[in-house]
Amino acid sequence: MSPSKSRTDALMAGEELSSAAQRERRKRIVDATIALASKGGFDAVQMRAVADRADVALGTLYRYFPSKVHLLVSSLGVELERAQEKMDRATVPGDSPYERVLFVLGRITRGLQRNPHLTEAMTRAFTFADASAGAEVDRVAWLMESMFTRAMSDEEPTDEQKAIARVIGDVWLSNLVAWVTRRATATDVANRLELTVRLLLK
Amino acid sequence: MSPSKSRTDALMAGEELSSAAQRERRKRIVDATIALASKGGFDAVQMRAVADRADVALGTLYRYFPSKVHLLVSSLGVELERAQEKMDRATVPGDSPYERVLFVLGRITRGLQRNPHLTEAMTRAFTFADASAGAEVDRVAWLMESMFTRAMSDEEPTDEQKAIARVIGDVWLSNLVAWVTRRATATDVANRLELTVRLLLK
DNA sequence: GCTAGAATTAGAACACGTTCTATAAACTCC
DNA sequence: GGAGTTTATAGAACGTGTTCTAATTCTAGC
């Protein structure tokens, strides 16, 4: 049992999938998840539907991702990485950390708001995650924070900068949740983020 | 249908329950929810179990609270009100808004950490809520913010104070989520909150 | 190639949130 | 105090996340 278990862990983390076939299966699953989430949000990501669309048996889906939350949070990680890569290719404009952080924040936020269902699905999965998905959640949280610290300066971030990035991430997430549940408009979100960044960085 | 619907809305909001029997039923339901949540967290709050324990039929439970999330968020509101009342009876010590906010924050946080399962249940319900529970969620968010603005000063809060209270609430919630999912220790939470309040109020 | 173990498949089975149905009890208004 | 309406009850039924089973296909090492 022990060797099989460590193999499964590797599948979950997505590292070093033994065969090309497995890497492809995993990709098909994530793609199916993103497609379904984009169309109908959290509720539309039904495990049977994901399995069908990825052309994989239900049992296989569960072997790769042990729950719907794992699946969605992992997919969010994939999406964030893509966004980060795009961001890396262009220099962030702005003369101060304040301006640069605002720029990055505005850009990601607009990106998310362009795909409300997907955002709803991932946000809800992220905040609903329980301890068992801790690793995946941590990874996403880390990706988010490093987006902001990178915008603040090119150097290794100071502790203070890390703390600020974390606060911004927290506020960002909770505004996203408010937007997703229609308790805040896109304008509300933009205003609150700007206000927060001003309080912290100006 | 229209009169029956507005009646149901009143039940949900908990205002003006026509008869004493109904007010008692509602209380039994909330109490059962809190008891079950305290014992086993979100997963232990099973609708059939709540109904059994409150000595109410499943259909009745759903007539009072249209979903598990409504039920838990409403119960969180009840709990927060109790905490606020307690807080109101004692004067908050501290010479500056900084100190007073930290005091309030520390006190509520310690209170929540004393009952981890209950906190887990309510936090997860709160962040998992969808648009249909918007009203309940808003009420809780407002209760949280007003706790902090009250600590900052006795007067009507300024816009800036409201903004700060909101940011603190956001950070607080997201740290609670991290703690509940065991991605942060109680000490982490305390440190991060103090750091946040310092960044904002000092 | 052959065999043991691992991975995959199709589909049944189970758990819990939610909805529905039929009946009984409680309330309202005359 | 009776007719009509609303509310409550017991329990079946349904949907979707998750687990389990039995059979099949793949893969690695000989």
Side-chain angles (χ1 to χ4, degrees):
Chain A
M1 172 189 181
S2 169
S4 131
K5 179 152 192 307
S6 79
R7 183 54 158 292
T8 299
D9 289 348
L11 287 179
M12 286 161 56
E15 321 143 347
E16 308 268 348
L17 282 187
S18 38
S19 75
Q22 286 179 319
R23 246 169 288 124
E24 272 155 33
R25 256 186 221 107
R26 192 175 203 278
K27 177 162 189 324
R28 285 207 308 277
I29 292 173
V30 170
D31 289 348
T33 304
I34 292 176
L36 288 169
S38 300
K39 198 178 279 185
F42 189 88
D43 291 341
V45 180
Q46 301 189 355
M47 300 304 267
R48 291 170 179 84
V50 172
D52 270 11
R53 184 162 188 143
D55 212 17
V56 128
L58 192 54
T60 306
L61 173 52
Y62 273 95
R63 167 181 277 276
Y64 281 69
F65 300 95
S67 79
K68 176 168 171 171
V69 165
H70 284 81
L71 173 58
L72 278 164
V73 176
S74 298
S75 303
L76 172 55
V78 170
E79 284 279 288
L80 274 185
E81 258 167 7
R82 285 183 199 159
Q84 179 70 267
E85 273 165 30
K86 234 197 249 173
M87 207 67 94
D88 283 348
R89 277 200 294 280
T91 14
V92 174
D95 298 333
S96 60
Y98 169 71
E99 284 173 11
R100 285 194 299 273
V101 167
L102 262 191
F103 177 86
V104 170
L105 215 36
R107 189 159 150 165
I108 310 174
T109 304
R110 278 191 306 277
L112 292 176
Q113 289 176 342
R114 224 170 288 127
N115 201 338
H117 288 310
L118 181 61
T119 305
E120 184 253 8
M122 307 222 151
T123 307
R124 290 183 67 202
F126 184 85
T127 56
F128 188 59
D130 69 353
S132 81
E136 285 80 357
V137 171
D138 266 344
R139 201 175 96 82
V140 167
W142 182 87
L143 278 169
M144 283 180 5
E145 277 158 34
S146 73
M147 269 178 157
F148 300 132
T149 53
R150 285 207 215 183
M152 283 188 236
S153 86
D154 294 331
E155 336 257 308
E156 188 62 17
T158 64
D159 284 351
E160 163 124 349
Q161 285 176 326
K162 279 193 219 160
I164 291 178
R166 199 198 304 273
V167 173
I168 293 175
D170 291 347
V171 173
W172 184 49
L173 183 65
S174 109
N175 273 283
L176 227 43
V177 170
W179 178 72
V180 150
T181 57
R182 270 167 278 185
R183 294 180 295 117
T185 67
T187 318
D188 289 339
V189 174
N191 289 340
R192 289 176 194 172
L193 286 176
E194 181 169 347
L195 196 47
T196 304
V197 177
R198 185 155 57 66
L199 285 170
L200 289 167
L201 281 174
K202 229 178 172 178
Chain B
M1 171 184 184
S2 169
S4 131
K5 179 153 190 306
S6 80
R7 184 53 159 293
T8 298
D9 289 348
L11 286 179
M12 287 160 54
E15 319 142 348
E16 309 267 347
L17 283 187
S18 36
S19 75
Q22 287 180 319
R23 245 169 289 124
E24 270 155 34
R25 256 186 223 105
R26 191 175 203 277
K27 178 163 188 323
R28 285 207 308 278
I29 292 173
V30 170
D31 288 349
T33 304
I34 293 176
L36 287 169
S38 300
K39 200 179 277 189
F42 188 89
D43 291 341
V45 180
Q46 301 187 356
M47 300 305 268
R48 290 171 179 86
V50 172
D52 270 10
R53 184 163 188 143
D55 213 17
V56 128
L58 191 53
T60 307
L61 172 53
Y62 274 94
R63 166 181 276 276
Y64 281 69
F65 299 94
S67 80
K68 176 168 170 170
V69 165
H70 283 81
L71 172 58
L72 278 165
V73 176
S74 299
S75 303
L76 172 55
V78 170
E79 284 279 287
L80 274 185
E81 257 168 9
R82 286 183 198 160
Q84 178 71 267
E85 273 165 29
K86 235 198 248 175
M87 207 67 93
D88 283 347
R89 278 200 294 279
T91 14
V92 174
D95 299 334
S96 60
Y98 170 70
E99 283 173 10
R100 285 193 299 272
V101 168
L102 262 192
F103 177 85
V104 169
L105 214 37
R107 189 161 151 165
I108 309 174
T109 304
R110 277 191 307 278
L112 292 175
Q113 289 177 341
R114 223 171 287 127
N115 201 338
H117 288 309
L118 181 60
T119 305
E120 185 253 8
M122 307 221 149
T123 307
R124 288 181 69 201
F126 184 83
T127 57
F128 188 59
D130 69 355
S132 81
E136 283 81 357
V137 171
D138 267 344
R139 202 175 97 80
V140 167
W142 182 86
L143 278 169
M144 284 182 3
E145 277 159 34
S146 72
M147 270 178 155
F148 301 132
T149 53
R150 286 207 214 182
M152 284 189 234
S153 86
D154 294 331
E155 336 257 307
E156 189 61 17
T158 64
D159 283 351
E160 164 125 348
Q161 284 176 327
K162 278 193 218 160
I164 291 178
R166 199 199 303 273
V167 173
I168 293 175
D170 291 346
V171 174
W172 184 50
L173 183 66
S174 112
N175 272 285
L176 228 42
V177 170
W179 177 73
V180 148
T181 57
R182 269 167 278 184
R183 294 180 294 116
T185 67
T187 317
D188 289 338
V189 174
N191 289 340
R192 288 175 195 172
L193 286 176
E194 179 168 348
L195 195 47
T196 305
V197 177
R198 185 156 57 68
L199 286 170
L200 290 167
L201 282 173
K202 233 186 170 170

